[in-house]
Amino acid sequence: MVDPNVAERIKQDLSGSDVVLYMKGTPVFPQCGFSAAVVQVLSHVGVKFKGINILEDPGLRQGLKDFSNWPTFPQLYVKGELVGGCDIVREMYENGELQQLLADKGIATGANA
């Protein structure tokens, strides 16, 4: 069960930005290879995103696992929907699905971001 305060914070995070990455560390200083890989993919695509460091808040870290029913980090959300973690994001990027998802959701990428 997600703590109501944590659930509210997650909802605010997700409604405040089109693309949110819950990660270990920050986009400038990722603290795990998986988080770094997703930051790199998002940078290649050229999409603006909000990075949230889950290492700073154990309650948020556990709350996200319960909220998303996804046990690992990073977790990428687009327009409030969980896309997945590192392997899924990397695979989607490599086969063009990530770029298509962003386009379908009306999110600017590349030179348009």
Side-chain angles (χ1 to χ4, degrees):
M1 182 76 195
V2 183
D3 176 297
N5 294 329
V6 173
E8 187 57 36
R9 177 177 170 196
I10 294 167
K11 289 175 185 169
Q12 285 179 352
D13 289 342
L14 297 179
S15 66
S17 299
D18 286 341
V19 182
V20 178
L21 179 63
Y22 289 100
M23 60 182 292
K24 293 180 180 177
T26 65
V28 174
F29 188 67
Q31 292 184 297
C32 87
F34 298 113
S35 292
V38 174
V39 167
Q40 188 174 28
V41 165
L42 295 174
S43 297
H44 274 281
V45 172
V47 65
K48 290 183 181 173
F49 67 97
K50 179 178 184 176
I52 298 173
N53 184 356
I54 54 101
L55 296 176
E56 294 176 343
D57 186 342
L60 175 63
R61 186 166 61 237
Q62 185 56 50
L64 268 163
K65 290 178 183 182
D66 297 336
F67 179 84
S68 65
N69 200 26
W70 192 267
T72 60
F73 293 96
Q75 292 182 11
L76 178 65
Y77 289 80
V78 175
K79 295 274 188 172
E81 293 180 29
L82 177 65
V83 174
C86 180
D87 291 343
I88 290 170
V89 170
R90 199 176 348 204
E91 185 176 310
M92 288 178 70
Y93 168 70
E94 288 170 359
N95 66 27
E97 286 179 54
L98 180 62
Q99 297 87 321
Q100 188 61 52
L101 171 71
L102 294 168
D104 290 348
K105 298 283 186 180
I107 297 170
T109 59
N112 303 324

